Amino acid sequence: REPPSPHPPLSHPPHLHTSFPPHLAIALPKMPTPPRRLSGGLSSLLAGVTSAATAPIAPEVLRAVKKAVRAGLEGGPRLDVRDATTLLSTRKPVEVALIGAVADAIREENVGNRVGYVINRNINFTNSCVKRCGFCAFSRTGVDKEAYFLPTEEVVRRAKEAVELGATEVCIQAGLPPGMKPDLYIELAHAVKAAVPSVHLHAFSPEEVIYGARRSKRTVKEMLRELKEAGLDTIPGTSAEILDDNIRSQIAGQRLSSKEWVDVVRTAHSLGIRSSSTMMYGHIEEPEHVAQHLLQLRDVQDETGGFTEFVPLSFVAAEAPMYAEKRIPKMRAGPSGSEVLLTHSVSRLVLNGSIDNIQCSWPKEGMRMAQVLLGHGVNDLGGVLMNESISTSAGATYGQLAKPKELRELAQEVGREAYQRTTCYDTVRDDFDDDELLTNEMKFETTNFGSYKELIAAKTKWRAKEMIKRSYSTTKRNSFGRRRMHTSHNPKSREGLREVTYSQSHTIVPTYECFNKCTYCNFRTDIGSSGWISLEEVEHTLKQLSKDEFGHGEGGPVDEILILSGEVHPKAKNRAAWHRHIVKICEMALDHGFLPHTNAGPLSFEEMKELKSVNASMGLMVEQTSARLLSGVHRFAPSKKPEYRLDQLRIAGELAIPFTTGLLLGLGETPDERVQALEKIAEIAEEYHHIQEVILQPYSPGGDRYGIHAPEQKFNLWDLPNFVEQAREILPKDVSIQVPPNLLLLNDDGTSEADGTTNLLVRCLEAGANDLGGISPKDEVSILI
């Protein structure tokens, strides 16, 4: 718990004069002590409201107001849900004014006439997010053309720039990026604190804490403890919205639950990590929901004492998907003016004696309303922000920066004293007659902080899609790290270890029907024999993958949806429908927070271009480049012509699509032909720099099929390490080499090894392979060969 507030508690009830009409009289008992400042001020305010009243104040409103005053003065019963609901429900101007006046008198008694602000910077480092909350116009899928992702060095640069301008706080919040590195949040905290140790790091909402914990397989407590060790000071109490799960299910069904939010902040407080608290209102909630939310916060504060302030956040509807698309009946376009006033006023009354600081959000309310709210229980104007993206993206028009001088003048114009504070409300300064200070603040006039519009512009260098590479998917230090492995192929190597990457994936097959008839393939079915997967089945699969802690299974969270399809003939009547079906599956995967990776055979330029917009990456196996094989295993597979396959790599390069390709080893090719195939892939990779990895996949050609005899040239699995070493020499160094571990779990004697520590796989890794591909419960191709 924090030390007691330096402000004296309300201990002496005033004698409230009753010379105004009887229906407005608040009959509190006379006390032997002289009336305090509150009594005269409150009496005058009530009298002023009375003189303008044209209708009686409702008895239940007056009763609740009287109870609020008594609670503060006498330590009597605090407002309950019914009382708060009553006050929040009124719309009579005279009652709104009365409630605001009482709230402001209590504010003055509790925290005085000072108005705080903090010099801080918001760093919303990415808008790519695995969730689709109905109110959020900020989030984008990981492959959206407007999705951005600031690298750690840019986050650090912005933090350092902020401190040079006098900031005491950096606030870091963002979307939940798909395929996030498990320790990203910890790395960010460490990097910022290492660069600017003096800054207060206010970062990672309860939603982000849970996401980070699940990505890294930590408990929430472990996650918070490690963040604190990395430099985290406090957490924002955002993502609370309304702490009612029925409301949450309608506006943000994928959000963390009310209980989860409360559990995170309780855990944070128990570790000495304080937090703010918030509420989003003005959408579909009723006054009772707001009242219940406030009382839940009060209960937590009574238990932990860890909340620094409460910030009511108006719903900004202009760009919110759930409002623009009319998803929910009777959704409001944000709160009315009366609602804004009442929400702040009633918050002060309900939280009186619990959370001292009530802050208004100038990015959502604007400066004029913020100034009005200073007369309705508010004592804090929040931060200067420097960069504000979330409200701006939703359609708020009040800018991304409030200069310190502007916030001071806002308070001074209504007779209040402004002071610069820390995140936890200690005073930084309240004397601003300092030439050096004013000179430093002049830098706010000339510094270009960048804007949200610039971040989402097509020309930005921080495209999220370009940063989401296989190396950015779930990675682990490989279990063979104790062996001395070659490190020259990986610039990130350290201590003799080399990272081996893989992605947790799940395969969705739009159709097994394929017009090609490769002699080795049991994946395909004949045209018209098995149909296409339904979108309902796809939706069910994606929901199952995402509902269990963001896709957690025994192997960890699923990042990638591999969309692997049989091929429809380019001239078939249903080709366009087949392509649309695949695009829709990709869109559905993105909506559930996954990264689609499509391999659907050769595509036209326009087909590939459309799929680019809904895929993190794409792929196509070259297989082999020898035309000689067309008379053998590929005799009845017209799309396997080498020129077609290589042209696909070039189209992908022209479209700048991160691409995966590979060779099938054992189709009848000679050793020289394998090397020639690698050289052709390397040439295209050097030209376009888009190939992420090359798969070296050993295949048994199978028996006779379609009248074709198995080729004489086969591939010996034990030659794979040598071929990996050749590939490493031929391919560009930034192209990963992938080997399929499920085909290589063999001992020296050729027997299968169940524990995965097998000699053949180790030899391939030591030879230069550094990727294990998508780890999926079912290999839809190799298992059928």
Side-chain angles (χ1 to χ4, degrees), residues 673-692:
E673 287 171 336
R674 289 179 204 131
V675 171
Q676 291 166 8
L678 279 176
E679 289 172 342
K680 290 178 181 178
I681 292 172
E683 182 181 346
I684 296 173
E686 291 279 11
E687 181 179 357
Y688 295 102
H689 306 285
H690 68 305
I691 294 178
Q692 297 184 122

Side-chain angles (χ1 to χ4, degrees), residues 94-145:
V94 66
E95 294 177 350
V96 173
L98 172 63
I99 295 165
V102 172
D104 205 50
I106 290 176
R107 180 273 310 158
E108 183 179 356
E109 183 71 13
N110 280 359
V111 295
N113 276 316
R114 301 207 308 168
V115 175
Y117 70 90
V118 62
I119 298 182
N120 66 346
R121 185 172 198 168
N122 269 18
I123 305 178
N124 306 123
F125 65 87
T126 183
N127 62 349
S128 62
C129 188
V130 300
K131 296 194 174 185
R132 300 290 165 264
C133 299
F135 57 82
C136 183
F138 173 71
S139 73
R140 301 290 189 274
T141 69
V143 303
D144 193 287
K145 64 181 180 180

Side-chain angles (χ1 to χ4, degrees), residues 399-466:
Q400 66 172 13
L401 165 69
K403 301 180 183 70
K405 185 179 179 182
E406 291 175 339
L407 295 178
R408 292 198 295 271
E409 290 175 346
L410 201 71
Q412 292 162 357
E413 286 170 359
V414 291
R416 302 277 285 279
E417 174 191 351
Y419 76 104
Q420 181 188 340
R421 62 169 176 84
T422 66
T423 306
C424 294
Y425 287 80
D426 293 322
T427 299
V428 174
R429 67 169 63 234
D430 51 18
D431 178 9
F432 301 99
D433 293 329
D434 185 323
D435 291 339
E436 182 180 350
L437 167 73
L438 298 177
T439 299
N440 192 55
E441 287 189 355
M442 287 297 292
K443 295 177 183 177
F444 280 88
E445 305 289 342
T446 57
T447 301
N448 179 12
F449 294 106
S451 69
Y452 175 69
K453 288 184 179 179
E454 290 171 350
L455 283 176
I456 64 174
K459 63 181 181 181
T460 183
K461 59 185 176 182
W462 296 309
R463 288 271 62 83
K465 183 173 180 178
E466 294 173 9

Side-chain angles (χ1 to χ4, degrees), residues 360-391:
C360 68
S361 171
W362 63 260
K364 295 182 184 295
E365 308 301 350
M367 292 299 185
R368 289 183 178 179
M369 178 59 88
Q371 192 174 56
V372 171
L373 288 169
L374 291 177
H376 285 73
V378 167
N379 71 303
D380 194 78
L381 293 172
V384 304
L385 301 184
M386 302 188 198
N387 297 101
E388 199 296 312
S389 299
I390 296 174
S391 296

Side-chain angles (χ1 to χ4, degrees), residues 156 159-160 163 167-170 189-201 230-233:
V156 168
K160 292 172 68 175
V163 171
T168 59
E169 172 192 296
V170 168
H190 180 77
V192 169
K193 276 293 194 173
V196 277
S198 63
V199 80
H200 183 105
L201 183 56
L232 177 70
D233 294 299

